[in-house]
Amino acid sequence: MSVVSGSINLFISRTPLQLLNCIEARDRFHRDGPEQNVLLLTYRKPADLNLCKPLLDDNWDRVIPLRLNLFSRYFYPLLLWLKLGSQTQIHCLYTAWLKHLHAHIYNTWQPDRTCLIDDGNEILILSSRIENGESPGEPRRRFTDRLLRRRRTVTKDVKPEYFSLYELPWVARERHILNDYRCLREKGQGLEQRDLVLFIGSNTHPKHIQDPALFTELLERVSSHYAGRKLLYVLHRYEDAERVKPLAEPLGFEVVRFANILECEPLVQGWLPGEVATFNSSAADTLQLLYGLPVTIFEIAQNRLGPNSNKDKWRQLYQELASRHPRFIRDKGHMTP
């Protein structure tokens, strides 16, 4: 395969949601531009790549798969040089992070513009840290970086642009473009709406809630709130169905795993739920924006979390969710400050 050459817009994707946001940015800003639109599709396992394949279309000038393994972890400068070439000029770089190989690309090819995209609600934390003067990459260059020619250090004064569905009030307005998914919304007009509640799972159990009895108690709050309505529990990609089903099904949930990214599943299935609910999945925000669905957030107070959970991050997340969603149900008796 020949290397990329000339002027390009480079989109780096690691997850289906990142790929969805790359497609939205491409279609909104670079549909008829002079640069080639190149997708660097990184993945760890073939299953990760298979999740992204249904989203790939024919509107990319080039798709470059890059498997993240032990070899690429150390030698990505060589791999990227072979795939991108030394003479390529990056006009716009779209990425969810500025660390590791993303930082190396930023430092080596020096794009004219760098824009951070959403990967769930992580951008709330990342953008806040960057705007407060923290480096998004490695703070200093290590000996192994010099030896392997990895350029992962990013200065504290970096000021990227942001293409995000979140408001990000701490970012200067001229560097923040609100992602309203206008291109994707055009594809979702006129879908049938069904009288059921789509409950979106997350990695809450067992990452943050280790006790199955406590997780069952949290699910009981949801099932009681929607008594008499059909409940569809959509598993997060990291959730174990055999762990969730014995806890959720006795409470009236039908547990399913979708083959496609949740944000695109209505387009595949041809129907919409009547309502969306979740503990903290960012997919609820996207579904609300894309299809106008009502969203209910069920809070999990931070004093219920396991010892390895970041309680400050948890509190900031729920403060942000409460500010955006009127249907925010507090975890009574276990209030988050």
Side-chain angles (χ1 to χ4, degrees):
M1 180 182 293
S2 61
V3 298
V4 176
S5 61
S7 181
I8 69 170
N9 300 307
L10 183 64
F11 303 77
I12 307 176
S13 170
R14 167 71 178 84
T15 67
L17 181 56
Q18 289 179 27
L19 177 54
L20 184 73
N21 289 322
C22 285
I23 293 170
E24 185 69 19
R26 179 202 66 192
D27 291 348
R28 182 168 167 181
F29 307 120
H30 306 289
R31 186 173 288 173
D32 301 313
E35 300 87 12
Q36 294 185 69
N37 292 320
V38 177
L39 174 66
L40 179 62
L41 187 58
T42 64
Y43 66 99
R44 292 190 184 278
K45 301 176 182 178
D48 298 331
L49 182 61
N50 290 336
L51 280 174
C52 292
K53 281 183 176 179
L55 295 177
L56 294 176
D57 56 28
D58 297 328
N59 295 321
W60 295 105
D61 295 295
R62 182 85 170 269
V63 176
I64 304 174
L66 177 62
R67 186 163 188 178
L68 304 176
N69 52 28
L70 187 61
F71 180 83
S72 63
R73 177 183 177 184
Y74 290 101
F75 298 104
Y76 58 75
L78 173 63
L79 294 173
L80 292 171
W81 180 78
L82 291 172
K83 292 176 182 294
L84 295 178
S86 60
Q87 301 302 312
T88 298
Q89 174 60 45
I90 298 178
H91 176 53
C92 291
L93 172 65
Y94 292 89
T95 176
W97 309 297
L98 276 177
K99 58 184 180 179
H100 307 311
L101 67 84
H102 311 74
H104 181 82
I105 291 173
Y106 171 80
N107 288 317
T108 303
W109 280 270
Q110 298 180 357
D112 299 329
R113 295 172 56 197
T114 299
C115 188
L116 297 184
I117 59 171
D118 289 338
D119 185 35
N121 42 41
E122 288 291 330
I123 201 167
L124 296 169
I125 307 297
L126 178 60
S127 62
S128 177
R129 289 176 176 172
I130 292 175
E131 298 304 312
N132 284 325
E134 294 185 35
S135 170
E138 292 292 328
R140 63 184 184 276
R141 200 175 188 191
R142 302 177 181 178
F143 172 75
T144 52
D145 292 330
R146 292 193 293 270
L147 183 66
L148 298 170
R149 299 187 178 183
R150 296 185 305 197
R151 305 177 66 185
R152 301 189 297 165
T153 306
V154 179
T155 61
K156 294 181 179 180
D157 59 354
V158 62
K159 294 297 181 184
E161 298 177 42
Y162 300 88
F163 182 52
S164 172
L165 66 85
Y166 300 102
E167 292 294 338
L168 308 183
W170 43 84
V171 176
R173 292 182 62 181
E174 65 270 15
R175 291 191 290 109
H176 177 221
I177 304 171
L178 192 65
N179 182 7
D180 56 12
Y181 289 100
R182 63 186 66 177
C183 299
L184 187 58
R185 275 190 290 147
E186 291 178 2
K187 306 171 185 177
Q189 302 294 323
L191 294 176
E192 172 197 356
Q193 194 157 34
R194 297 183 180 180
D195 184 23
L196 60 84
V197 178
L198 198 71
F199 184 84
I200 307 173
S202 64
N203 61 352
T204 299
H205 174 63
K207 182 177 180 180
H208 300 291
I209 304 294
Q210 283 83 25
D211 184 1
L214 176 54
F215 188 65
T216 301
E217 178 188 336
L218 295 170
L219 289 178
E220 285 176 341
R221 291 173 55 212
V222 179
S223 63
S224 297
H225 182 81
Y226 293 112
R229 297 187 66 182
K230 183 176 181 180
L231 292 168
L232 204 63
Y233 188 117
V234 182
L235 292 164
H236 184 273
R237 67 180 183 276
Y238 294 136
E239 278 188 298
D240 183 356
E242 299 307 314
R243 186 191 299 269
V244 174
K245 281 186 176 182
L247 305 178
E249 288 182 342
L251 299 174
F253 291 90
E254 178 185 348
V255 180
V256 299
R257 187 186 299 280
F258 288 153
N260 302 288
I261 180 175
L262 185 55
E263 288 84 349
C264 291
E265 191 66 22
L267 299 176
V268 176
Q269 298 288 343
W271 57 267
L272 293 168
E275 185 176 342
V276 174
T278 187
F279 291 131
N280 51 28
S281 174
S282 60
D285 291 312
T286 317
L287 288 173
Q288 183 181 52
L289 182 59
L290 284 174
Y291 307 109
L293 298 172
V295 170
T296 299
I297 305 293
F298 289 84
E299 180 192 37
I300 302 176
Q302 67 182 52
N303 59 0
R304 292 182 181 268
L305 303 178
N308 297 322
S309 299
N310 186 330
K311 293 180 173 58
D312 288 337
K313 181 178 177 181
W314 195 266
R315 181 173 60 251
Q316 183 177 351
L317 169 62
Y318 273 116
Q319 286 174 346
E320 175 67 24
L321 289 171
S323 70
R324 289 200 315 277
H325 297 287
R327 299 185 182 195
F328 186 90
I329 299 180
R330 292 285 182 184
D331 192 355
K332 295 181 179 178
H334 299 272
M335 301 295 285
T336 295

